[in-house]
Structure formats: structure tokens, C-alpha cells
């Protein structure tokens, strides 16, 4: 087993990316687009909030999937196959089952109440597990994984792709990957990663949660970690990626995208859309490595808290939003109150969770007692703070 130097820049990006879901889902409460799924909404459509959530949506989840893919490579360098599988199941399956069975029915019940549906919680609970889920968003009272689709995807991708990941880690494709690296390390050539993402995007599966697209992004992250030349090229080109991402996002907001399916302009726009995601992720990876690749006490705390906070945040955000949107105040103040109260409540719940052994097991974190008893060199990579 190898010892891998810890990437604190990835810790920062992952932690910030996870915590950003709270303001992101709070923004969606003021977006009247029925495709913007949250479980309580105001009656006012706020244009500025819509712009902000669209910007975040263009790169937020892809960034987390890239980091998750990188963490798989690092994990396989210092873990056996059996230990890797056991950790993935324990850290991803148990929390997602708890959230889907215990938390999500409460959240969708709040949604039904907000729509003035006269249904008891018991009847809703029965319907939650027996009604045809359809599109899995939960707005009919049927089962939904809600925000936990991300955790479930990570579990599936980590296990389904494992045979291939193991072969790459063992060096079975070294010659091919070395030649690929020779080509892709050239300036801006990594943007070509947008091509497989575009191809899978053309296959309509689960809308914006297309598993093929996210597996491609996840696999891109794995390959980025497998060859140091990719990270060096990202660092070298980081400012160009940043400029391109700003230009692409601006164009994305100003170019009509209602094109005939499979027309040439539709295909070109698809590549442009995927490129916007890719260059934004690369810009963040490069800038983070340059400016925030260091450990701090704040990072140490937040990185441990972020996963439990992710699991519980949607229910708390829904409860807080349900109360705040009724207030007769401007949307901007409502948004601030929702975000602040949700953050505060989530971290208070986390402080309780980490002190109880049972809840530590459910949320796949180490209790304070175990952390205090554990002695290990901080400079060595471990997976406890990555997906």
C-alpha cells in the first residue's frame, strides 16, 4: 500500500462544494420554474436568485463528482479491494438508507402541507413507500431519494466501476494512458474531456441527473488523479480556464438554446454546454491548488462536519423555509434568514451527532472519543474526509 500526500485543496473544494448546497437550495425556493425542485417555495420569482442558482448548477455537482472520482484513485492506492468496498458501503449506503427512509418522508410531508393537502402523516408514510414513484422527485407524495441521489450515485459508481479502476491502478493500461497523457497535457487539451460528457448528455436519462453523464465526469476525476501531468497542466492553464469559464457562462445565459434535436447547431451547443462545465471545474481545481492547498483548524472541523450536514440539510432547509416564506418581508431578507438559520441548525445537529456513538455510525463519521484516541500522521492521505 502506498502513502499518498493529502490534497488539502481537494478537501477545501469538497467541503465548500458540499456546504454550498444550503444557499443553492435556498435560492431555488424563489425560482418558480417547476423543474427547480425543492419542497417549499415562495410565490415570488426573483430574477437575481435565478441567475445565481443557474451559475452554481452549471459546475457545482460536476465539481463534486470529479473530486469523488479523484478520491477513488487515492483510496485504491492505500487500501485493499476488500477494505475499499467495506468503507464505501459503510460510508455511503447506511447514511443514504437512513435519509431515504427516515428524513425524506418528513420533507415530502411538509411539501404536501404547504400545498394544503389534507393528509395525515401516517397515510403519507404508507403512500411514500407504496405509490409508483414516477419521476422520483417526490412531489406526488411517492418515494424520492431527494438530494441523496448524489450519495447513491457515488456508491453505484464506486462499485460498478471498481474492476476497471483496479486495472488502471495496477498499471494494466499504462502504455495507453501514458500516450493519452502526452497529448492531453498540452495547453487546453483537457477541454476535450467535454466530448464524452456531450455524447452521454444526448442520451435522455433522468434529465439533469443523467447517470451516464455523471459517471463520465466521475471517471474523468479518476483519470486526473492517476497522472500528475494533468494536475500540472491544470495549474499551468488555470487563469485561461478561469477566463474561459466566465466567457462561457456569460454566453450560456445569452444564447438561445431551443434548437432542433440532432441538428448541427444542437450538437455544437451541446459541446459548448459541456465545455462550460469542464473549464469551470478545471479553473477551480487550478486556483484551489495554488491558493488554498493547506490545512487549517477550520478545514479540519468543516471537512468532518460537511457529510452529516449534507445528509440532514435538505430536511432542515425545508422546515426553515416553510416558516420563513410566510413572513411579510422582502425575498432577499427571507433568503438570508433561511440560509443563516439552516446553517446554524445543521451544525447544532452535527454537534449532537458526533457525541453519540449510534448516530456516528449512522452518519459514517468517527466519534469524538475515537478521534481523540486515534494517532496518525496528518500528512498522509486518508479517505475519511472525502467521498
Amino acid at each position: 500500500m502506498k502513502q499518498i500526500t493529502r490534497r488539502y485543496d481537494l478537501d477545501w473544494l469538497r467541503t465548500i462544494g458540499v456546504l454550498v448546497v444550503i444557499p443553492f437550495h435556498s435560492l431555488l425556493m424563489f425560482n418558480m420554474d417547476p423543474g427547480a425542485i425543492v419542497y417549499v417555495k415562495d410565490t415570488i420569482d426573483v430574477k437575481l436568485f435565478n441567475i445565481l442558482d443557474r451559475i452554481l448548477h452549471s459546475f457545482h455537482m460536476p465539481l463534486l463528482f470529479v473530486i469523488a472520482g479523484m478520491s477513488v484513485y487515492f483510496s485504491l492506492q492505500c487500501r485493499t479491494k476488500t477494505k475499499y468496498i467495506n468503507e464505501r458501503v459503510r460510508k455511503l449506503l447506511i447514511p443514504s438508507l437512513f435519509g431515504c427512509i427516515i428524513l425524506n418522508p418528513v420533507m415530502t410531508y411538509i411539501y404536501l402541507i404547504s400545498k394544503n393537502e389534507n393528509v395525515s402523516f401516517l397515510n403519507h408514510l404508507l403512500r411514500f413507500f407504496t405509490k409508483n414513484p414516477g419521476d422520483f422527485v417526490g412531489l406526488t407524495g411517492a418515494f424520492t431519494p431527494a438530494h441523496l441521489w448524489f450519495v447513491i450515485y457515488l456508491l453505484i459508481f464506486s462499485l460498478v466501476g471498481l474492476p476497471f479502476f483496479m486495472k488502471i491502478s495496477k498499471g494494466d493500461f499504462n502504455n495507453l494512458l501514458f500516450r493519452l497523457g502526452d497529448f492531453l497535457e498540452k495547453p487546453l487539451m483537457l477541454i476535450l474531456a467535454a466530448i464524452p460528457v456531450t455524447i452521454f448528455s444526448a442520451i435522455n436519462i433522468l434529465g439533469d441527473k443523467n447517470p451516464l453523464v455523471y459517471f463520465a465526469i466521475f471517471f474523468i476525476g479518476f483519470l486526473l488523479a492517476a497522472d500528475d501531468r494533468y494536475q500540472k497542466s491544470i495549474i499551468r492553464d488555470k487563469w485561461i480556464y478561469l477566463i474561459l469559464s466566465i466567457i462561457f457562462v456569460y454566453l450560456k445565459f445569452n444564447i438561445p438554446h431551443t434548437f432542433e434535436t440532432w441538428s448541427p447547431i444542437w450538437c455544437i451547443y451541446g459541446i459548448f454546454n459541456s465545455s462550460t462545465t469542464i473549464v469551470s471545474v478545471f479553473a477551480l481545481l487550478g486556483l484551489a491548488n495554488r491558493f488554498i492547498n493547506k490545512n487549517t483548524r477550520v478545514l479540519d472541523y468543516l471537512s468532518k462536519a460537511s457529510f452529516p450536514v449534507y445528509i440532514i440539510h435538505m430536511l432542515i432547509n425545508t422546515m426553515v423555509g416553510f416558516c420563513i416564506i410566510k413572513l411579510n418581508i422582502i425575498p432577499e431578507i427571507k433568503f438570508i434568514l433561511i440560509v443563516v438559520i439552516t446553517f446554524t441548525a445543521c451544525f447544532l445537529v452535527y454537534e449532537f451527532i458526533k457525541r453519540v456513538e449510534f448516530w456516528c455510525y449512522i452518519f459514517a463519521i468517527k466519534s469524538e472519543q475515537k478521534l481523540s484516541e486515534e494517532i496518525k500522521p496528518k500528512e498522509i492521505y486518508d479517505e475519511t474526509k472525502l467521498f
Side-chain angles (χ1 to χ4, degrees):
M1 297 294 103
K2 298 179 182 179
Q3 290 184 338
I4 308 296
T5 302
R6 187 161 193 91
R7 292 279 304 274
Y8 293 113
D9 54 331
L10 299 183
D11 282 343
W12 273 114
L13 284 176
R14 180 194 69 89
T15 300
I16 294 170
V18 169
L19 296 180
V20 160
V21 296
I22 292 177
F24 175 70
H25 286 136
S26 300
L27 288 169
L28 293 183
M29 293 181 186
F30 303 91
N31 187 334
M32 297 302 105
D33 180 357
I37 305 298
V38 283
Y39 296 94
V40 291
K41 285 195 177 186
D42 206 328
T43 56
I44 301 174
D45 197 58
V46 182
K47 185 176 181 180
L48 174 61
F49 291 175
N50 294 348
I51 293 172
L52 292 175
D53 70 55
R54 284 177 62 194
I55 292 174
L56 286 173
H57 185 264
S58 66
F59 65 84
H60 178 230
M61 296 310 296
L63 174 65
L64 292 179
F65 275 105
V66 165
I67 295 172
M70 297 176 79
S71 80
V72 168
Y73 177 81
F74 295 139
S75 181
L76 289 175
Q77 301 309 298
C78 52
R79 283 166 176 77
T80 64
K81 180 179 178 180
T82 301
K83 187 175 182 181
Y84 168 86
I85 293 173
N86 289 339
E87 285 191 346
R88 290 282 154 165
V89 171
R90 179 173 60 85
K91 293 182 177 181
L92 298 175
L93 179 61
I94 295 174
S96 59
L97 284 177
F98 171 79
C100 287
I101 296 172
I102 304 299
L103 303 182
N104 290 354
V106 180
M107 186 166 60
T108 52
Y109 182 64
I110 294 173
Y111 170 78
L112 295 178
I113 293 175
S114 71
K115 296 299 180 182
N116 299 315
E117 287 202 25
N118 185 19
V119 58
S120 69
F121 179 71
L122 179 59
N123 287 335
H124 166 65
L125 192 62
L126 293 174
R127 185 168 61 172
F128 185 82
F129 292 107
T130 58
K131 187 176 180 179
N132 183 356
D135 55 8
F136 287 98
V137 298
L139 299 184
T140 64
F143 174 81
T144 176
H147 61 299
L148 298 174
W149 69 271
F150 171 59
V151 183
I152 294 169
Y153 275 22
L154 290 184
L155 176 63
I156 295 171
F157 295 168
S158 299
L159 299 182
V160 170
L162 182 57
F164 195 48
F165 296 148
M166 292 292 295
K167 287 182 178 295
I168 293 176
S169 297
K170 291 177 180 178
D172 289 4
F173 302 102
N174 275 357
N175 289 336
L176 175 61
L177 293 177
F178 186 81
R179 291 171 186 168
L180 183 66
D182 276 344
F183 177 71
L184 292 179
E185 72 172 337
K186 295 179 174 63
L188 302 180
M189 284 295 102
L190 279 173
I191 296 178
L192 294 176
I195 294 176
V197 176
T198 304
I199 293 172
F200 289 125
S201 297
I203 304 172
N204 187 16
I205 305 176
L206 299 180
D208 65 346
K209 296 178 178 60
N210 188 325
L212 297 179
V213 170
Y214 282 116
F215 182 77
I217 295 172
F218 184 84
F219 184 65
I220 288 169
F222 183 90
L223 290 181
L224 289 178
D227 192 329
D228 290 340
R229 290 177 294 175
Y230 296 139
Q231 183 63 38
K232 291 177 182 177
S233 70
I234 289 173
I235 295 171
R236 180 195 63 212
D237 300 334
K238 59 183 178 295
W239 295 113
I240 301 177
Y241 284 131
L242 177 61
I243 293 170
L244 286 176
S245 64
I246 294 171
I247 294 172
F248 285 6
V249 168
Y250 175 80
L251 292 175
K252 186 175 179 179
F253 275 82
N254 291 277
I255 295 177
H257 52 274
T258 53
F259 309 115
E260 182 182 351
T261 305
W262 295 111
S263 65
I265 189 65
W266 181 83
C267 296
I268 293 171
Y269 181 81
I271 295 174
F272 163 74
N273 190 44
S274 299
S275 298
T276 302
T277 295
I278 293 297
V279 297
S280 299
V281 170
F282 289 165
L284 291 170
L285 288 173
L287 292 170
N289 188 270
R290 172 64 178 83
F291 295 108
I292 56 174
N293 191 12
K294 57 184 177 181
N295 193 20
T296 67
R297 290 185 178 180
V298 173
L299 174 62
D300 189 56
Y301 176 81
L302 291 179
S303 60
K304 292 171 184 168
S306 59
F307 186 64
V309 166
Y310 182 84
I311 300 295
I312 63 176
H313 88 276
M314 195 69 170
L315 173 58
I316 293 176
N317 191 233
T318 301
M319 295 169 65
V320 173
F322 179 75
C323 298
I324 297 298
I325 61 174
K326 297 178 180 179
L327 301 179
N328 187 24
I329 52 179
I330 61 174
E332 290 78 8
I333 299 299
K334 289 182 183 180
F335 170 75
I336 293 172
L337 287 174
I338 291 169
V339 170
V340 171
I341 295 172
T342 301
F343 265 116
T344 303
C346 284
F347 279 98
L348 287 175
V349 173
Y350 166 70
E351 286 296 321
F352 168 76
I353 289 171
K354 72 177 187 178
R355 288 170 168 79
V356 182
E357 194 72 35
F358 171 77
W359 292 114
C360 287
Y361 175 79
I362 294 297
F363 286 90
I365 61 174
K366 294 179 180 178
S367 64
E368 284 195 328
Q369 181 179 353
K370 285 186 177 181
L371 286 172
S372 63
E373 293 172 352
E374 191 175 69
I375 301 175
K376 62 181 175 183
K378 291 185 177 180
E379 70 273 10
I380 301 303
Y381 176 87
D382 70 77
E383 197 191 15
T384 57
K385 298 177 187 176
L386 286 175
F387 296 114

